[in-house]
Amino acid sequence: MKQNLFQNLPDEIPEELFEEIESGKSFRLERIVSDGHKSSPGFWYDQPQQEWVILLQGAARIELDNENDHVELGPGDYLLIPAGRRHRVAWTTPDTKTVWLAIHFDK
Amino acid sequence: MKQNLFQNLPDEIPEELFEEIESGKSFRLERIVSDGHKSSPGFWYDQPQQEWVILLQGAARIELDNENDHVELGPGDYLLIPAGRRHRVAWTTPDTKTVWLAIHFDK
């Protein structure tokens, strides 16, 4: 009945991997696995729900629209991306698989 | 704007520590820090919402009502505890602080 977030990582991940773990009323929890992936140039996520995201393995850099600094993330780092706040993944480490949890919810 | 799940752990935790990180419609995310704590003998959690819980540091054992086996949890292990499913924390390691994320939500 238990599962492990760091197991069942495919060897080859041609594209960033999104897997739903749980969902409910106005709520969705997903595991994201990146393997050196980043958002395409000029691509921005623009989502109607709040997104809380935590990086638990690997390393990444998120770019938020209208911010000068990118946000560097290492294991345990989390942030809230408010609904409608444009953002993109500027970089994930090529050295290991990066594992995230993302929660999409309504305020 | 980012924070780290494994930082700001108090040196002394007389009682298990529950801290809300985010909340929304029918949704609550909390960090739990245990330091060798366990539920009192005979105490059972019996909650009206679904609880998804992941252990990210340390080790613990959860007891579910009407199950013969306890669930042993190490870093990355997660499980869903359905609404109304009685459960208790049978053990957390005394060797280090145990850090959990718990999500309470409605189906």
Side-chain angles (χ1 to χ4, degrees):
Chain A
M1 103 186 270
K2 71 176 177 182
Q3 293 183 259
N4 192 285
L5 192 72
F6 305 116
Q7 292 175 3
N8 300 316
L9 301 178
D11 288 339
E12 297 287 329
I13 305 179
E15 299 192 19
E16 205 159 49
L17 188 65
F18 296 81
E19 297 165 294
E20 183 173 297
I21 298 177
E22 292 293 336
S23 68
K25 277 186 195 144
S26 315
F27 161 80
R28 190 160 51 85
L29 168 67
E30 63 187 6
R31 179 176 81 165
I32 305 171
V33 184
S34 316
D35 193 12
H37 300 98
K38 56 188 174 184
S39 303
S40 302
F43 173 85
W44 293 90
Y45 289 99
D46 187 352
Q47 303 173 139
Q49 285 192 302
Q50 314 285 324
E51 179 174 1
W52 183 88
V53 67
I54 185 167
L55 190 151
L56 289 165
Q57 176 182 296
R61 200 165 58 238
I62 287 184
E63 185 178 358
L64 293 159
D65 202 8
N66 296 323
E67 295 239 336
N68 292 325
D69 292 332
H70 292 199
V71 184
E72 307 273 354
L73 299 176
D77 285 336
Y78 64 83
L79 77 164
L80 180 72
I81 304 172
R85 183 68 186 274
R86 288 175 9 127
H87 60 282
R88 58 195 300 282
V89 178
W91 173 84
T92 61
T93 180
D95 298 335
T96 186
K97 293 191 173 88
T98 294
V99 179
W100 322 65
L101 276 179
I103 302 172
H104 304 269
F105 66 101
D106 288 335
K107 266 289 180 201
Chain B
M1 104 185 268
K2 70 176 177 184
Q3 293 184 261
N4 192 286
L5 192 72
F6 305 115
Q7 291 175 3
N8 301 315
L9 301 178
D11 287 339
E12 297 287 329
I13 304 179
E15 298 191 20
E16 205 159 50
L17 187 66
F18 295 82
E19 298 165 293
E20 183 173 296
I21 298 177
E22 291 294 335
S23 68
K25 276 185 196 145
S26 314
F27 161 79
R28 190 160 50 84
L29 169 67
E30 63 186 6
R31 179 175 80 166
I32 305 171
V33 185
S34 317
D35 192 11
H37 300 98
K38 56 188 174 185
S39 303
S40 302
F43 173 85
W44 293 90
Y45 290 98
D46 188 352
Q47 304 173 139
Q49 285 192 302
Q50 314 284 325
E51 178 175 0
W52 183 88
V53 67
I54 185 167
L55 189 150
L56 289 165
Q57 176 182 297
R61 201 166 57 239
I62 287 184
E63 186 178 357
L64 293 159
D65 202 7
N66 297 324
E67 294 239 338
N68 293 323
D69 292 332
H70 292 199
V71 185
E72 308 272 352
L73 299 177
D77 285 337
Y78 64 83
L79 76 164
L80 179 71
I81 304 172
R85 183 67 186 274
R86 288 172 11 125
H87 61 283
R88 56 193 302 280
V89 178
W91 173 84
T92 61
T93 180
D95 298 334
T96 185
K97 293 190 173 90
T98 293
V99 179
W100 321 67
L101 276 179
I103 302 173
H104 304 270
F105 66 100
D106 288 335
K107 267 290 179 198

